[in-house]
Amino acid sequence: MMSERFFDCITEFIFLEDRPERADVIFVPGGDYPESAKRAAALFADGYAPYVLPSGRFSKLRGYFEDPEGKGRKTEWEYLRDILTGCGVPESAVLKEDQASFTWENAIFSRRLLDSMHVDVRTGIVVCQAFHARRCRMYYQEQFPEARLLICPVETQGITRENWFLDGRRIDVVLGEMERCGSQFHEIMKNRIPQEILLSRKRRET
């Protein structure tokens, strides 16, 4: 039996994966890579959810969307929609959120859209990059606390749980995710303190 490597805890924290189940919606956080939309389309075709919700305008850091196919699309949502419909997802099943510029906004704006449509999400599937899985779960779970969220990741940039520690570029990407999981949640956690105190009191009273 191989002893545990010192970085295995990082692998288990970052790389999440659930078996897909019947859900109310398939979430696709924005990006300029096709793998997530293709996986979402396959899940839709297999009947896992009636809607697919790609979300994204462009990266906040870049400030614009550079269409990887050179077709002049202005948003991540347009790019992902075209991949989804090209894979057979009907346009009527592709919901529209084209304002988010980072993952936290993907979750926030997706929640607002679904609330406006009166879609009650009890189970959701999140299709994201494998190394982005933990942060996606944290953000989407914060916005959908009552829902069961299943992470169905895709391999991008050649980064997997089996190889991320084998070269410097992959290490930088994964450890960068570790850093963001801490740094980006300071205010979110602090803002939730009053809510958590109330919930704790209610639990004690029941």
Side-chain angles (χ1 to χ4, degrees):
M1 178 178 177
M2 188 177 76
S3 60
E4 182 176 355
R5 296 167 298 191
F6 73 93
F7 53 80
D8 284 346
C9 56
I10 296 174
T11 303
E12 294 306 316
F13 179 76
I14 291 293
F15 293 91
L16 308 177
E17 184 166 7
D18 299 305
R19 184 170 296 180
E21 298 178 14
R22 175 69 183 176
D24 301 294
V25 64
I26 300 168
F27 296 105
V28 184
D32 59 359
Y33 51 93
E35 293 90 346
S36 60
K38 290 179 179 179
R39 178 81 194 275
L43 290 168
F44 178 88
D46 288 340
Y48 280 105
Y51 300 112
V52 183
L53 175 46
S55 167
R57 185 179 182 189
F58 46 63
S59 166
K60 184 177 182 179
L61 294 176
R62 182 180 290 175
Y64 62 92
F65 179 67
E66 186 174 340
D67 191 333
E69 297 178 354
K71 294 184 177 180
R73 287 166 290 208
K74 301 298 184 183
T75 66
E76 295 169 344
W77 179 83
E78 288 181 86
Y79 173 69
L80 296 170
R81 175 206 58 193
D82 287 354
I83 294 171
L84 289 164
T85 55
C87 291
V89 180
E91 286 199 36
S92 59
V94 180
L95 306 183
K96 184 176 183 179
E97 194 302 290
D98 64 352
Q99 295 302 307
S101 59
F102 53 95
T103 312
W104 181 218
E105 288 186 345
N106 291 141
I108 292 172
F109 296 163
S110 292
R111 178 71 200 231
R112 290 178 184 172
L113 174 66
L114 291 168
D115 283 351
S116 72
M117 296 175 60
H118 305 290
V119 174
D120 184 21
V121 179
R122 292 298 173 183
T123 302
I125 295 173
V126 182
V127 181
C128 60
Q129 299 181 92
F131 59 81
H132 195 34
R134 175 62 68 176
R135 194 149 56 102
C136 284
R137 170 166 280 173
M138 292 170 75
Y139 278 136
Y140 278 85
Q141 195 70 73
E142 199 283 334
Q143 283 297 297
F144 294 88
E146 71 284 357
R148 182 165 174 257
L149 295 180
L150 306 171
I151 305 296
C152 294
V154 293
E155 178 185 334
T156 60
Q157 302 183 43
I159 300 174
T160 69
R161 64 181 290 128
E162 290 81 19
N163 71 15
W164 72 267
F165 48 84
L166 295 178
D167 72 57
R169 179 188 66 84
R170 294 173 181 144
I171 290 170
D172 286 345
V173 170
V174 172
L175 294 188
E177 280 296 310
M178 284 287 292
E179 292 168 8
R180 284 185 283 276
C181 282
S183 64
Q184 294 185 3
F185 280 83
H186 287 191
E187 293 306 313
I188 294 172
M189 293 294 293
K190 290 175 183 177
N191 289 336
R192 287 194 63 83
I193 289 172
Q195 298 177 49
E196 296 302 326
I197 290 173
L198 287 173
L199 286 171
S200 179
R201 287 175 179 169
K202 287 180 180 179
R203 292 189 191 104
R204 289 199 300 268
E205 291 170 359
T206 56

